[in-house]
Amino acid sequence: MWAVPILLAGVALAFDAADRRVPFSVLASGPLDEVAHLTTGALGLLALACFIDAPRRFYVAGLIASVAIDLDHIPLYLGLGNPEQRPVTHSLTTVLVVVIAAAVSRRHRAVLAGAATGLLIHFARDVAEGPPGVRMLWPLQDTAWTASFWWFLGMIITFTVVRLVLVTVGIPRTRIRLFQAPIPVKPSSQPTGHATSGDRSPEFRQQSVID
């Protein structure tokens, strides 16, 4: 559908623009920022769905992670840590930890992989919000990555165009199938011509008893 990605793109850009204009406060700019993150995450996952066939839990986890990672700001609001910087959990280290957990945990692999995807989309938008930036390579490097609004606009345009164009032309023809449960193998049937005791007719069993 054309309407969904266009609507998501419009909401993401509108709430991002409002977030940039409103003076920062948890109650005023916080909801604007989270709506922009949520719609950006949804749009990015829609674009990704053009290439992979993953279960619903992958996408649900991605959406939740694209917003929930901001819970790591709570200690800063309580006066713990440096309020001039984003928490170090806003880094590729967090993504790496989640990816390793996904590799180890077969049962929760789809959920954890979706969460890692949502985190990457979240951090990509945070970089575009300017200072204080995101310390993506922490602890190897303490430098904060920043970019301008044009980075975010490019993200939205890319996600939207990929979704609309690829769905319209039907490319790719097949998607990569991920995290699907294996199809159970049905037991082979008994070969014909080799009757077992369960296959014998009542008359045959009766005759055998008589003999």
Side-chain angles (χ1 to χ4, degrees), residues 1 3 10 34 47 50 62 70 87 99-100 127 142-143 145-146 150 164 174 176 185 190:
M1 293 178 60
E34 298 309 331
C50 294
D70 273 342
V99 168
I100 292 174
V127 167
D142 204 45
T143 303
W145 293 16
T146 60
W150 299 106
L164 294 180
T174 59
I176 301 173
V185 179
Q190 289 288 342

Side-chain angles (χ1 to χ4, degrees), residues 56-79:
R56 182 178 300 177
R57 60 185 181 277
F58 171 89
Y59 298 102
V60 172
L63 279 178
I64 294 174
S66 70
V67 175
I69 183 59
D70 273 342
L71 292 173
D72 64 1
H73 286 74
I74 293 178
L76 299 181
Y77 301 149
L78 298 177

Side-chain angles (χ1 to χ4, degrees), residues 160-205:
T160 307
V161 169
V162 165
R163 178 67 186 184
L164 294 180
V165 172
L166 294 186
V167 169
T168 300
V169 300
I171 298 176
R173 301 297 180 185
T174 59
R175 298 181 296 166
I176 301 173
R177 196 171 189 182
L178 300 176
F179 317 116
Q180 303 291 340
I183 300 175
V185 179
K186 295 181 179 180
S188 58
S189 57
Q190 289 288 342
T192 56
H194 297 277
T196 63
S197 59
D199 297 324
R200 296 174 181 174
S201 63
E203 294 80 8
F204 184 86
R205 289 197 297 270

Side-chain angles (χ1 to χ4, degrees), residues 146-159:
T146 60
S148 67
F149 166 76
W150 299 106
W151 167 266
F152 176 65
L153 180 62
M155 284 175 53
I156 296 300
I157 292 175
T158 300
F159 291 156

